[in-house]
Amino acid sequence: MKTNRFLLSVALAIAGYCAMAADMTLADARRLALASSKTLASLNLSVKGATLDERSQLYESLPSLSLSTSLSAQGGNGSSVSDTAAVSVSAGVSQTVFDGGKNAVLSAIDSLATESARAAARAGYFDVLDSIDSAWYSLQEAYASRDSAESSLKAANVSLEIAQTRLETGAISMTDFLEAEATAAGAEKTLSQAKRDVSVYSLKVASLTGLSTLPAVEQSDFSAYDGIVARLANYSDAEVDSLVAALLASAQSNNPDLAAARAARDSSAKSVSLAKVGYLPTVSASASTGTGYSFTDGSTDPTVSVSLSASLSLDAWKTA
């Protein structure tokens, strides 16, 4: 049901965007790419599955409760079924008293699995953003190249027309005219290549955002970065070193791949600890109570039992 609601929200987001008259911005492209990424959706489901496994393992440390009832009757040898009918009800509880810390280790492993799944989801999130950003700025570059190529072609065509006129009047040689003609042909080829790049990156952005066709795209204003570039250019060596150190520290603490690697390392250590638990015994305690009722004479038969059991595996070589 949650998956259906997620798909519905994605469809509504895409449909709502398509109805907008404004040009698509980078923020719009990022939002649509995150909403339509099947890989990211799969990673988010993995996080939910790991969380459920972690909760399930926590329940293993709780007491186990049981309730049972039975009805018995016999017929034959001159007795009717109602003469021998009897019913019994019993309830019991059992609890593992000592397992060498096995359940705690398993809970820790599941917790690390959840942490690793979340790190993988974060990595997938940044991968989606990286892909759409790369395609977006490549498209912007293709637009700029196309506009420049169009201007160059117009200038080359004007130069070719002038060369044609001067050739007819004998003001230039055929060699000069052919050179102008080659320049115009080269400019036309460059424009064709630029238009091809625009088509390729438009399809890529449309594919990443889940759209069948790409609407009008807002041109990025790169002048907004001029202030940052100017400020960085005026940094002293000490300020640059401090900035680089802060960026490295932030990257190390927030990098999802490093977080997943740490979780994998810790999970491996916990697995070794779990294997060592095999040398230790497991102690369990249980208690049950019940009563039986006979329809023949109306008698009851209450019972109470308490047990304590311990087990120790002798397959030490398997644990080793």
Side-chain angles (χ1 to χ4, degrees), residues 11-315:
L12 291 176
I14 294 176
Y17 175 77
C18 292
M20 294 171 57
D23 293 345
M24 175 188 281
T25 64
L26 177 58
D28 296 328
R30 286 174 171 176
R31 184 175 65 254
L32 291 173
L34 291 172
S36 61
S37 173
K38 294 180 176 60
T39 300
L40 186 58
S42 176
L43 290 172
N44 287 331
L45 289 176
S46 297
V47 172
K48 293 180 181 179
T51 302
L52 292 176
D53 290 339
E54 183 179 358
R55 292 177 182 174
S56 177
Q57 185 59 45
L58 290 175
Y59 297 150
E60 294 293 330
S61 61
L62 300 178
S64 177
L65 305 176
S66 62
L67 178 65
S68 63
T69 181
S70 64
L71 177 65
S72 62
Q74 296 179 353
N77 296 327
S79 62
S80 63
V81 173
S82 60
D83 294 335
T84 60
V87 63
S88 63
V89 178
S90 62
V93 58
S94 61
Q95 173 68 50
T96 300
V97 179
F98 176 77
D99 62 357
K102 178 180 179 181
N103 190 70
V105 174
L106 288 174
S107 296
I109 290 176
D110 286 340
S111 177
L112 290 170
T114 302
E115 180 183 344
S116 179
R118 286 173 177 164
R122 289 184 64 236
Y125 173 86
F126 290 122
D127 285 342
V128 172
L129 291 182
D130 181 66
S131 297
I132 189 62
D133 283 6
S134 176
W136 179 270
Y137 287 115
S138 295
L139 178 59
Q140 296 290 324
E141 183 180 356
Y143 280 144
S145 297
R146 182 197 61 186
D147 295 342
S148 176
E150 288 177 346
S151 299
S152 297
L153 179 59
K154 290 179 180 179
N157 286 333
V158 171
S159 298
L160 181 60
E161 292 176 359
I162 295 174
Q164 178 69 38
T165 302
R166 297 182 67 186
L167 178 65
E168 292 174 353
T169 60
I172 62 172
S173 64
M174 178 60 70
T175 302
D176 293 335
F177 173 76
L178 292 176
E179 183 178 351
E181 194 174 47
T183 300
E188 185 173 359
K189 181 179 179 181
T190 301
L191 177 59
S192 177
Q193 179 69 28
K195 288 182 176 179
R196 187 195 72 84
D197 291 342
V198 169
S199 299
V200 169
Y201 289 114
S202 295
L203 289 173
K204 187 171 184 179
V205 172
S207 175
L208 290 173
T209 54
L211 301 175
S212 57
T213 56
L214 188 67
V217 173
E218 181 183 83
Q219 298 292 321
S220 296
D221 183 16
F222 294 101
S223 62
Y225 302 103
D226 291 344
I228 298 177
V229 173
R231 186 165 68 252
L232 292 175
N234 293 324
Y235 271 17
S236 64
D237 291 343
E239 290 174 326
V240 171
D241 293 339
S242 176
L243 176 62
V244 171
L247 290 175
L248 287 175
S250 178
Q252 291 175 355
S253 62
N254 296 307
N255 188 302
D257 292 330
L258 286 177
R262 285 192 292 266
R265 177 200 60 195
D266 295 341
S267 179
S268 298
K270 293 295 183 182
S271 296
V272 175
S273 299
L274 179 63
K276 292 180 178 179
V277 172
Y279 291 117
L280 303 176
T282 299
V283 181
S284 300
S286 62
S288 63
T289 181
T291 184
Y293 176 78
S294 174
F295 290 98
T296 303
D297 54 9
S299 62
T300 59
D301 183 20
T303 59
V304 176
S305 65
V306 178
S307 65
L308 183 67
S309 62
S311 63
L312 176 63
S313 174
L314 298 180
D315 298 335

